[in-house]
């Protein structure tokens, strides 16, 4: 992989409101694609579900069995919990702070639903899901899935007071637990208000 170098932020799209596209009673906003950013290869799609509070005895998430092919879904559970099951016999329930990484590859049918406990008791829910395209020579890869709880994701302190949660790729000698097909770097950040951090980006990469 090429050495990391600092790059200048080309454009901030926060001034463009994300498209509101609720799915049933699930509050959904879509920053990508959207009016401020129609395309950012290799990122196909970004949905923000919630935040919202579900009552007891609710119907939960509406994502029953459905197919995917040729890309990867990376799902960040910010609040609540998410159950996964797919046609390759992967199953898990991931809680707040965790991540689900599914490679659809040559094709997979999966369901993302609320666990029985959440259906019964309700509670807060907030989820981000990012779709990452696969290059043409990897689109027929064997489907796979990894579910990580928060405690399995390295939390690295940053000089400016923030925290980097390393999901995939390398950061200053640490390696994220997800082994990706494309060498993508993926992390989440927690930054105190007013803090500043510098995160190098490999040449030729999008951020």
């Amino acid at each position: 992989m090429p050495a990391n170098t600092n790059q200048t932020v080309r454009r901030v799209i926060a001034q463009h409101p994300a498209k509101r596209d609720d799915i049933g009673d699930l509050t959904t906003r879509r920053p990508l694609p959207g009016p401020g950013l129609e395309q950012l290869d290799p990122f196909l799609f970004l949905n923000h579900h919630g935040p919202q509070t579900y009552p007891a005895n609710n119907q939960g998430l509406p994502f029953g069995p459905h197919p995917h092919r040729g890309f990867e879904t990376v799902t960040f559970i910010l609040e609540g919990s998410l159950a996964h099951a797919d046609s390759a016999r992967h199953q898990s329930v991931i809680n707040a702070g965790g991540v689900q990484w599914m490679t659809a590859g040559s094709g997979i049918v999966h369901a993302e639903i609320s666990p029985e406990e959440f259906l019964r008791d309700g509670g807060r829910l907030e989820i981000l899901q990012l779709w990452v395209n696969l290059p043409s020579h990897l689109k027929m890869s064997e489907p796979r899935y990894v579910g990580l709880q928060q405690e399995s994701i390295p939390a690295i302190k940053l000089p400016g007071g923030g925290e980097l949660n390393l999901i995939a790729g390398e950061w200053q000698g640490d390696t994220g637990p997800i082994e990706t097909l494309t060498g993508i770097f993926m992390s989440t950040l927690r930054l105190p208000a007013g803090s500043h951090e510098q995160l190098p980006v490999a040449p030729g990469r999008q951020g």
Side-chain angles (χ1 to χ4, degrees):
M1 180 181 297
N4 287 337
T5 59
N6 290 325
Q7 296 187 15
T8 301
V9 174
R10 184 180 306 166
R11 180 155 50 108
V12 177
I13 63 167
Q15 67 266 29
H16 298 281
K19 177 180 172 60
R20 183 74 180 261
D21 191 14
D22 292 354
I23 304 170
D25 61 356
L26 178 62
T27 301
T28 300
R29 294 174 176 86
R30 184 171 301 120
L32 176 69
L37 189 66
E38 293 186 0
Q39 185 177 6
L40 185 65
D41 183 67
F43 308 111
L44 298 172
F45 190 84
L46 176 63
N47 263 355
H48 181 193
H49 303 300
Q52 65 193 90
T53 300
Y54 278 73
N57 301 314
N58 64 84
Q59 298 299 309
L61 290 170
F63 305 121
H66 58 280
H68 286 310
R69 182 178 178 182
F71 61 92
E72 300 183 292
T73 61
V74 186
T75 308
F76 308 87
I77 298 90
L78 305 183
E79 290 188 279
S81 56
L82 181 62
H84 170 99
D86 63 45
S87 54
R89 299 184 179 179
H90 303 117
Q91 289 188 342
S92 71
V93 175
I94 302 299
N95 301 315
V99 174
Q100 296 180 341
W101 193 300
M102 187 184 77
T103 302
S106 60
I108 197 168
V109 175
H110 79 140
E112 299 160 299
I113 59 176
S114 300
E116 291 184 7
E117 183 179 2
F118 188 89
L119 296 176
R120 183 188 68 230
D121 300 336
R124 293 281 292 173
L125 183 72
E126 184 176 12
I127 293 172
L128 291 170
Q129 187 173 82
L130 179 67
W131 292 14
V132 183
N133 199 15
L134 288 171
S136 58
H137 69 281
L138 292 175
K139 285 188 177 292
M140 294 302 290
S141 298
E142 183 178 354
R144 60 184 191 175
Y145 167 84
V146 178
L148 297 174
Q149 303 291 3
Q150 183 177 22
E151 56 267 25
S152 299
I153 301 172
I156 302 167
K157 298 298 182 183
L158 299 174
E163 182 179 87
L164 184 146
N165 300 290
L166 183 58
I167 297 165
E170 296 183 359
W171 178 261
Q172 297 182 346
D174 289 296
T175 302
I178 298 289
E179 295 183 12
T180 71
L181 296 177
T182 59
I184 190 173
F185 176 87
M186 187 73 69
S187 70
T188 58
L189 295 172
R190 295 181 184 273
L191 302 177
S195 64
H196 297 273
E197 302 288 354
Q198 283 192 328
L199 303 179
V201 178
R205 297 286 181 100
Q206 296 271 35

